[in-house]
Amino acid sequence: MIELFDAEDPHDPRLARGAAGLLRDFNLAGVLTAADVHVAERACALAGETDEEVRLALALAVRAVRHGSVCVDLADLLDPADLAAAPEVADLPWPEATGWAQRVAAGPLAAAGVVRVEGSLLYLDRYWREEGQVRDDLLARAGRAAPTVDERTLRAAEVRVFPHDGFDEQRAAARTAAGRWTTVLTGGPGTGKTTAVAGLLAMLAEQAEATGSLPRVALTAPTGKAAARLQQAVAEASLTLDEEDRARLAPLALTASTLHRLLGWRPGSRTRFRHHRGNRLPHDVIVVDETSMVSLTLMARLVEAVRPEARLVLVGDPDQLASVEAGAVLADLVGGLAERDSGAVVALRTSHRFGAGIGRLAEAVRVGDADRVVALLAEGGEEVEWIDPGPTAAGAPPGAAAAQAPGPGTALLREVLLRHALDLREAAAAGDVETALAVLERHRLLCAHRQGPYGVQHWNRQVERWVAEATETPVGPGWGQEWYVGRPLLVTANDYGLHLFNGDTGVVVAGPEDPDGSTSQDQTAGRADRRGRGGPALRAVVAGVGDHLELSPSRLGDVDTMHAMTIHKSQGSQADEVTVLLPPEDSPLLSRELFYTAVTRARRRVRVVGTESAVRAAVERRARRATGLRQRLAGADTPAAEGPAVRTAGNPPATPTH
Ligand SMILES: Nc1ncnc2c1ncn2[C@@H]1O[C@H](COP(=O)(O)OP(=O)(O)OP(=O)(O)O)[C@@H](O)[C@H]1O
């Protein structure tokens, strides 16, 4: 989607002062940011490229990566849906598509290796190389003779580990993964992916017994939070195995780490690791969870570091939002490998966790049946509720009624959100950590946006205002009370020293001073906030795997308030009840992948707040990313050899910006 920014202020930092010609036109129109323009200008100056249209093409390629695409299709920049949302874009002086890419290919940028052109696809060199490398490494793995397995032992293990008909899908998945070097295991939430993985590991451990060895197993995920959940889920799933298989898994000492940690994070580089083609990972089995969140760059680093004779099991849900960084790797693998190598992709379809109501809604969203989604929402029930704010007040932005104007939508939202915030506050004020953390898991408000009336910031402040009114106490930064009892927390960056991971959640509770023996410097710096202006001493409690961490709030650097969180951030986590606040239908963030991700965060009940047109837009609009990996994997040497642009699902902007 051609997403625009709207710069009314001439000093807006997104405007590139000094830009000229086409770059200036596209910058002023909000298509290109100053960063896109500067990169293009600099690279063209260095390479000696003076053709304005080629400069524009390069800036659009830079922009595409910023929006999560791996390349840009110069022949397919505008589609009717984009133009309906932003008709003014059509009036920009777009170059004639025919021959545009060829001019880039014939020019000095391509000669200098800054860009690569394939058909109408324009890549920045790095992403072109990474796509090719992922394809080559995966196809090389697929071309090797299959791993040797003892069939009789395997068949006996299948029946033992997955004992009845309800495990048919998982049994088939584990059998596939046991007999291949690379397997992509897909399924929505609660379809038993982790259970299948635990069973597979027991089966592989038994296979290794014949050689008197133990398989070296790595469990990994793109984020710390997802890795922690994977470890916990595998441990829980292992408990369902019989004693003999549990005993097989015990010596494997299964712990999970982030992909960055597994690959060997190196200070100063986000894309180069200690393990690579020349220093491969030692493991025999590598299980990656939440693969939909893995970017192309990280996948490239992973597949080159895996030993050819190690099993790689990529687990995830390809219908969810794709990675924050460029690529839609899981969706591409599922599409490309399924076409080329029919056995590599195994899908689990039966949900063992959701109630039927959420499952039906999620499936209707997944397949893009907007009429059914609207009918299911209208029907409602135990698990599904719809708050349609209805027609908005004159002058109000469409769909804003529930967010801003007084009305039934606002009253209902207030009731739900305030009740949850007060329950949290009550447990936190009593210093009851277990209850506070349990209450935290009961409900999430999920927003597409970060800012604006549909955004997390607005709703965090709004809930704080409601709590302040209800309790007649100052709450929130508006009152100079950043730290207050019952403040829900979302960790926004990994801190390996403190064992905190991006995506961890927690709550501020009343409690004894210096829970972690904080230094005198901490105490001085944090005292005013930590005491909440004469209130009790405060401690932050962060939920961990099987345990929690308590520390002084002053030690927490990267945290947000979590009365509301973005759908992007919610990936990989669930809550009993979820309220999804949809932005208006013209929001560039609305997409089927976003809506599906939000709905599937709910374990017991999902509440959708949004107009019918917003619901329909969410279901019908595909988030798109331009990538070539799917087609490369499917068989074509170059993505353009089989036709025009390759688009795959999963294309939110890299970060929600509204
Ligand atoms: N075949 C089955 N029959 C009944 N229950 C099952 C089956 N497989 C898994 N379960 C149960 O369903 C729940 C979800 O399973 P599991 O954690 O393996 O799913 P998942 O796909 O990994 O979930 P998610 O990725 O959403 O966390 C667990 O409680 C598990 O014990």
Side-chain angles (χ1 to χ4, degrees), residues 164 166-167 170 187-196 229 233 237 240 289-290 352-353 574:
H164 54 78
F167 289 97
Q170 286 143 307
T191 48
K193 300 182 293 296
T194 319
T195 306
R229 280 189 74 232
T240 64
D289 198 14
E290 300 287 355
H352 302 288
R353 190 187 291 138
Q574 287 198 308

